């Protein structure tokens, strides 16, 4: 989604703004722009499409401004063109915005009556004109404050002023904003990743707070306009984790590093000497939990579904799952012994955060499973379990999904152990089996040539289905999601047992169908469903750890995963489906890391 950068410096800033915008590209966007103060005037440059286009414009006509704001826009109000691109400027002020202003129409009508002119279709321009109006009578802090009071919705803002040539203002409500500290420069950015090449000293604005930066200092104000101090965090220097290295794109790098990231995650949680799983300071006694609700969006929601099967299998706790955008508007009956677990790679997903906020307001017990530990969700939940996957840049989530499933599996084992619902022998065996996961992942990823052969059968297909039962059902959903988001081929995941209740009507000659049938308690049933698909002309691609030859008849391709225990199989089945989506998309020349219309961090609802 939209990304913001702002810099106050002793030297020209446009080069650093462009570099930071390139770092924000991963969030997904369709236009870009920046404003600097040049010779006392606001110098605004914008374009539709990629940051490269903006760079070309600026290199022809470089800006000398030592202070500026930049933006990548993911269109919400108005088409993605140059006029709607941010910043939005008046004579005196220039604004970049991430989020949605829900009452923009009424404010716009009011301002039009006062003869303010609007050039764009965006909600953001009302912020520009409101500020312009207040600046006639108030100082900067009061003008910003009065403007924020009028806005409904969510936002992070970056603002510069014609008449205050050394100041950049940042503000937030609902959308994240980081503040960075440099040598003779200070910064605001949508996330610390955008600022990483410039600084690792970061603070985070909380809702309602405003920051005012010059090149030499940063001041913070709370919603009552009182000056406040903020903690400065030093982020780890993991720049090598945020570059593609020798890989063609981030997604192939991220798929490939899953054996390393899963190993890192296991190392954080498993005590090898005591053969135990450690979750320090778990805020609620697992013996007292009688219900857990797992909440997330997209891929993170699929790992919640996996958690349902895990916790139901391993514990006697009642389990529910919910899509965050639904949960947040339902009438939830919050109870003392319920636990709400939020799963999110970015930790900034607006719906997931709003669902967490609802729980917090109702004093519910909350836990966050996140990748980005400095994120809003991590900072808000009672308890955080990081997945330790390292930065995930490709819009399609891969290593984070494996990390989420891994932490959820570890959590289910530990809770089961504490509740005496798993035998010591099974607990120790499960831990031992988990230690083999990184090498099993490596083994499956090495079979990429086979997946390339399979992928060719999907390139020209208009649609496809992914079928599975039990643990393989959420994996089928995830496989379908990966394929559709990357290759734009219509793909649906179904529980294999549901086929006869409708979806079987879609099977026709040559339709590619992915069947996930590991040797588990559902195996025979899934194979029967597969035969029904084959009988109707479906072209079946079977993913299994069964090595018998008999079932291979009439199957277009059989991909074997290594043998493992039933809880490890979902991990191993995920990998070929990630690679399948990747190769189909690359054969179709799709933009792998930045699929159309999508954003990495979905910060609007
Ligand atoms: C996954 O490939 C997606 N791009 C998307 O579904 C993602 O998982 C979802 O938006 C949730 O994001 P989060 O994990 O950062 O909360």
């Amino acid at each position: 989604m939209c990304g913001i950068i702002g810099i106050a410096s002793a030297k020209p800033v446009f080069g650093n703004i462009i570099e930071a915008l390139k770092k924000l590209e991963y969030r997904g966007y369709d236009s870009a722009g920046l404003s600097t103060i040049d010779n006392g005037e606001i110098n605004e440059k914008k374009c539709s499409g990629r940051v490269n286009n903006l760079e070309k414009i600026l290199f022809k006509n470089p800006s000398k401004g030592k202070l500026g704001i930049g933006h990548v826009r993911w269109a919400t109000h108005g088409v993605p063109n140059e006029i709607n691109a941010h910043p939005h400027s008046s004579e005196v002020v220039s604004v970049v915005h991430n989020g949605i202003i829900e009452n923009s129409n009424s404010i716009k009508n009011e301002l039009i009556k006062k003869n303010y002119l609007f050039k764009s279709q965006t909600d953001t321009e009302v912020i520009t004109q409101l500020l312009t109006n207040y600046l006639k009578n108030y100082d900067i802090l009061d003008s910003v404050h009065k403007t924020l009071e009028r806005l409904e919705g969510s936002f992070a803002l970056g603002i510069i002023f014609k008449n205050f040539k050394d100041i950049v203002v940042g503000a937030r409500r609902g959308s994240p904003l980081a503040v960075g500290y440099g040598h003779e420069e200070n910064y605001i950015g949508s996330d610390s990743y955008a600022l990483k090449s410039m600084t690792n000293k970061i603070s985070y604005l909380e809702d309602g707070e405003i920051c005012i930066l010059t090149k030499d200092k940063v001041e913070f104000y709370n919603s009552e306009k009182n000056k406040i101090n903020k903690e400065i965090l030093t982020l780890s220097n993991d720049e090598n984790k945020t570059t593609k290295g020798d890989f063609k794109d981030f997604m192939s790098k991220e798929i490939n590093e899953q054996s390393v990231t899963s190993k890192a995650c296991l190392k954080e949680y498993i005590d090898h000497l005591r053969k135990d799983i450690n979750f320090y300071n778990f805020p609620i006694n697992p013996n007292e939990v009688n219900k857990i609700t797992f909440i997330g969006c997209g891929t993170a929601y699929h790992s919640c579904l996996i958690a349902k099967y895990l916790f139901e299998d391993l514990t006697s706790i009642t389990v529910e799952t919910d899509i965050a955008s639904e949960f947040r508007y339902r009438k939830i009956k919050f109870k003392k012994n319920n636990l709400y677990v939020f799963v999110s790679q970015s930790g900034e997903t607006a719906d997931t955060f709003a669902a967490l906020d609802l729980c917090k307001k109702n004093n519910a017990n909350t836990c966050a499973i996140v990748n980005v530990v400095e994120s809003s969700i991590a900072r808000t939940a009672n308890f955080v379990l990081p997945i330790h996957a390292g930065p995930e840049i490709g819009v399609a989530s891969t290593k984070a999904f494996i990390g989420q499933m891994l932490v959820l599996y570890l959590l289910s084992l530990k809770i089961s152990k504490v509740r005496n619902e798993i035998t010591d022998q099974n607990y120790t065996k499960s831990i031992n089996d988990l230690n083999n996961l990184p090498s099993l992942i490596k083994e499956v990823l090495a079979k990429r040539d086979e997946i390339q052969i399979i992928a060719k059968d999907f390139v020209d297909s208009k649609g496809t289905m992914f079928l599975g039962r039990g643990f393989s059902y959420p994996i089928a959903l995830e496989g379908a999601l990966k394929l559709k988001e990357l290759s734009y081929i219509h793909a649906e995941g179904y529980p294999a047992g549901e086929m006869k209740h409708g979806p079987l009507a879609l099977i026709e000659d040559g339709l590619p169908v992915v069947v996930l049938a590991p040797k588990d308690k559902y195996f025979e049933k899934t194979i029967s469903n597969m035969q029904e698909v084959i009988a109707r002309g479906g072209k079946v691609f079977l993913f299994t750890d069964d090595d018998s030859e008999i079932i291979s008849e009439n199957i277009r391709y059989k991909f074997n995963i290594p043998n493992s225990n039933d809880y490890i199989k979902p991990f191993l089945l995920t990998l070929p489906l990630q690679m399948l989506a990747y190769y189909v998309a690359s054969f179709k020349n799709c933009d792998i890391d930045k699929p159309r219309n999508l954003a990495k961090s979905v910060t609007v609802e």
Side-chain angles (χ1 to χ4, degrees), residues 297-300 343-347 349 395-397 404 481-482 485 602:
C297 301
T299 291
V343 183
S344 173
Q345 187 285 129
S346 62
T349 301
V395 164
S397 190
Q404 290 159 357
L481 178 67
K482 281 299 82 100
E485 74 178 321
V602 183

Side-chain angles (χ1 to χ4, degrees), residues 206-457:
E206 297 299 333
D207 276 351
E209 292 176 355
I210 295 171
C211 63
I212 299 185
L213 12 152
T214 64
K215 69 178 174 51
D216 303 310
K217 65 172 196 278
V218 183
E219 286 175 353
F220 294 95
Y221 297 86
N222 64 14
S223 51
E224 274 81 50
K225 290 188 283 179
N226 297 322
K227 224 174 186 176
I228 51 168
N229 293 321
K230 304 262 330 164
E231 188 187 355
I232 301 178
L233 310 168
T234 304
L235 303 183
S236 64
N237 190 5
D238 51 6
E239 187 67 15
N240 59 331
K241 290 188 190 160
T242 56
T243 55
K244 277 187 270 200
D246 292 336
F247 290 90
K248 225 170 118 201
D249 34 59
F250 279 105
M251 189 180 174
S252 52
K253 178 185 179 233
E254 286 157 8
I255 289 177
N256 208 59
E257 66 193 9
Q258 290 177 109
S259 95
V260 176
T261 54
S262 57
K263 198 172 190 169
C265 182
L266 290 169
K267 199 167 150 231
E268 292 291 331
Y269 291 108
I270 292 185
D271 178 338
H272 291 290
L273 273 182
R274 288 169 45 242
K275 290 268 182 281
D276 199 2
I277 299 166
N278 290 329
F279 288 109
Y280 297 110
N281 306 323
F282 200 67
I284 172 167
N285 181 349
N287 285 305
E288 287 167 10
V289 177
N290 54 22
K291 190 172 125 193
I292 307 183
T293 307
F294 293 93
I295 300 154
C297 301
T299 291
Y301 175 68
H302 296 156
S303 59
C304 295
L305 289 175
I306 287 286
K308 184 177 167 71
Y309 287 90
L310 284 168
F311 278 78
E312 281 178 355
D313 248 31
L314 293 166
T315 75
S316 58
I317 300 172
T318 302
V319 187
E320 271 185 9
T321 58
D322 229 315
I323 291 174
S325 55
E326 292 296 318
F327 178 91
R328 63 182 289 191
Y329 293 114
R330 300 219 333 265
K331 274 195 178 170
I332 308 292
K333 317 286 177 295
F334 290 99
K335 298 223 174 85
K336 197 169 147 260
N337 291 342
N338 294 358
L339 173 67
Y340 296 85
V341 178
F342 295 84
V343 183
S344 173
Q345 187 285 129
S346 62
E348 299 295 353
T349 301
D351 283 318
T352 312
F353 183 78
L356 167 62
D357 197 42
L358 178 69
C359 290
K360 292 285 286 187
K361 285 186 177 131
N362 285 280
N363 296 319
N365 300 303
T366 58
C367 168
I369 295 183
V370 295
N371 196 23
V372 182
V373 286
E374 311 94 20
S375 60
S376 306
I377 289 174
R379 284 181 285 127
T380 307
N382 299 136
F383 185 58
V384 183
L385 297 174
I387 61 168
H388 301 286
E392 187 180 70
I393 310 296
V395 164
S397 190
T398 50
K399 61 176 180 171
F401 183 59
I402 293 289
Q404 290 159 357
M405 288 198 294
L406 193 48
V407 171
L408 287 162
Y409 181 30
L410 290 164
L411 186 64
S412 63
L413 282 171
K414 181 68 183 190
I415 289 186
S416 178
K417 175 77 169 60
V418 176
R419 292 167 65 97
N420 272 325
E421 293 181 326
I422 187 171
T423 63
D424 286 350
Q425 200 190 0
N426 281 347
Y427 183 67
T428 310
K429 178 171 182 325
S430 304
I431 292 175
N432 285 340
D433 287 349
L434 266 172
N435 285 328
N436 294 328
L437 179 65
S439 61
L440 292 173
I441 290 179
K442 216 176 197 168
E443 201 179 313
V444 178
L445 293 177
K447 296 172 77 167
R448 63 181 67 83
D449 291 355
E450 282 187 55
I451 299 292
Q452 291 192 45
I453 296 169
I454 298 174
K456 295 207 169 100
D457 270 302

Side-chain angles (χ1 to χ4, degrees), residues 1 21-29 72 190-194 250 345-346 372 392-395 593-595 598-601:
M1 299 255 127
L21 289 180
K22 285 184 181 167
K23 287 236 143 98
L24 289 167
E25 284 187 304
Y26 81 96
R27 296 165 73 96
Y29 73 106
V72 282
S190 291
D191 54 34
S192 57
Y193 176 62
F250 279 105
Q345 187 285 129
S346 62
V372 182
E392 187 180 70
I393 310 296
V395 164
D593 284 337
K594 297 187 275 293
L598 297 181
K600 182 68 183 162
S601 188

Side-chain angles (χ1 to χ4, degrees), residues 185-203:
E185 324 197 292
N186 290 307
Y187 322 92
I188 52 171
S190 291
D191 54 34
S192 57
Y193 176 62
L195 306 180
K196 216 152 216 174
S197 60
M198 301 181 282
T199 183
N200 66 346
K201 300 265 181 273
I202 300 284
S203 297

Side-chain angles (χ1 to χ4, degrees), residues 97-108:
H97 164 219
N98 181 9
I100 289 180
I101 306 304
E102 287 165 2
N103 58 340
S104 61
N105 278 343
S106 64
I107 299 177
K108 191 171 181 176

